[in-house]
């Protein structure tokens, strides 16, 4: 029997990571942050001094980068070439470059293959990203597309960064809009809502309310989840 998969997609700041980790913890499932994998690949490419706006160079550099993701929702890990990059991948340097790296077809093909291997090895998993329901796990029994207005997304992202000043929130909102435009328009695996995904607007919901709703939907879509462990 294939592992149960809950797919969470949506733009940056919509609450995917916190929701996915909370749901996985609540249901005893594994967890995978696919965005962290693309950030880890971006970090590795930058460390090699590659021009991230040169897709041929990025594809060549990324071919032998070793990406390893931990799947414990309470203590997720991410490493590139044996280096713990959980901190470095959240820097502005990586944030500014990740869309360029993640739209390279060879990068996406390689990481999607790794993501599918992780699914197959799990007893059940919650995945979050931008193409889970459309590309990585199109047969997932539960697909959700999380959204939130730009102001809410920017405030959340700024808070994560420990910055609440109005100017920083405004700059973050502009950055998110640029990222949305790039991710939605790329040729390979663009950010998109799967036809059978349930859209969940998190703008005015607390994290606990969002997790409760996803768990409720999971109970209907995958009734045997209660006995699954990570």
């Amino acid at each position: 029997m294939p592992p149960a998969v809950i797919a969470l997609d949506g733009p940056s700041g919509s609450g995917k990571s916190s929701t996915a980790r909370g749901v996985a913890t609540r249901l005893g499932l594994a967890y995978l942050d696919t965005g962290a994998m693309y950030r880890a690949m971006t970090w590795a490419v930058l460390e090699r001094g590659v021009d991230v706006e040169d897709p041929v160079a990025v594809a060549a550099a990324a071919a032998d980068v070793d990406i390893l993701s931990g799947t414990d929702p309470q203590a997720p890990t991410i490493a590139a070439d044996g280096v713990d990059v959980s901190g470095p991948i959240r820097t502005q340097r990586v944030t500014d470059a990740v869309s360029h790296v993640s739209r390279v077809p060879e990068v996406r093909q390689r990481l999607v293959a790794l993501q599918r291997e992780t699914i197959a090895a799990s007893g059940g998993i919650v995945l979050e990203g931008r193409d889970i329901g459309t590309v990585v796990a199109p047969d997932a029994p539960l697909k959700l597309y999380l959204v939130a207005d730009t102001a809410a997304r920017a405030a959340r992202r700024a808070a994560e960064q420990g910055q609440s000043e109005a100017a920083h929130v405004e700059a973050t909102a502009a950055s998110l809009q640029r990222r949305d435009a790039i991710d939605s328009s790329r040729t390979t695996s663009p950010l998109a809502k799967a036809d059978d995904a349930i859209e969940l607007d998190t703008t005015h919901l607390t994290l606990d309310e969002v997790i409760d709703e996803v768990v409720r939907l999971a109970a209907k879509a995958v009734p045997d989840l209660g006995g699954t462990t990570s």
Side-chain angles (χ1 to χ4, degrees):
M1 183 176 180
V5 177
I6 297 176
L8 270 69
D9 289 307
S12 297
S14 57
K16 298 189 304 296
S17 295
S18 298
T19 299
R21 290 177 64 182
V23 170
T25 298
R26 185 90 65 86
L27 295 176
L29 301 176
Y31 159 76
L32 185 63
D33 177 355
T34 65
M37 298 175 73
Y38 286 100
R39 283 177 171 270
M41 182 66 80
T42 301
W43 176 88
V45 168
L46 289 169
E47 286 295 295
R48 296 180 185 199
V50 174
D51 177 1
V52 296
E53 296 190 38
D54 181 344
V56 174
V58 168
D64 63 350
V65 174
D66 180 33
I67 303 294
L68 182 62
S69 301
T71 59
D72 180 348
Q74 298 187 65
T77 58
I78 183 73
D81 290 334
V83 178
D84 177 359
V85 294
S86 55
I89 64 171
R90 302 301 172 185
T91 62
Q92 195 61 45
R93 174 177 177 241
V94 170
T95 296
D96 290 342
V98 66
S99 286
H100 296 293
V101 173
S102 63
R103 67 184 174 187
V104 174
E106 292 86 351
V107 170
R108 299 203 74 83
Q109 289 163 9
R110 180 142 184 267
L111 293 185
V112 166
L114 287 176
Q115 290 153 17
R116 288 175 174 163
E117 288 175 10
T118 303
I119 292 172
S122 74
I125 191 167
V126 182
L127 295 96
E128 54 114 335
R130 289 168 174 74
D131 64 347
I132 309 303
T134 54
V135 175
V136 179
D139 296 327
L142 178 60
K143 303 176 191 174
L144 294 125
Y145 191 80
L146 272 57
V147 298
D149 66 37
T150 303
R153 291 164 54 206
R156 291 170 185 168
R157 183 53 51 86
E160 289 173 1
Q161 298 167 344
Q163 303 283 346
S164 58
E165 298 87 352
H168 185 82
V169 174
E170 185 176 341
T172 300
S175 175
L176 290 174
Q177 289 175 324
R178 287 193 298 272
R179 179 82 190 273
D180 290 348
I182 293 172
D183 289 348
S184 300
S185 62
R186 65 181 176 232
T187 303
T188 304
S189 302
L191 168 65
K193 176 186 172 184
D195 291 340
D196 55 347
I198 298 169
E199 184 169 307
L200 182 57
D201 189 336
T202 68
T203 302
H204 303 294
L205 298 176
T206 65
L207 175 59
D208 284 341
E209 288 172 336
V210 178
I211 293 172
D212 286 345
E213 178 62 9
V214 176
V215 169
R216 184 187 70 79
L217 292 168
K220 293 174 62 177
V222 196
D224 60 345
L225 274 180
T228 307
T229 58
S230 56

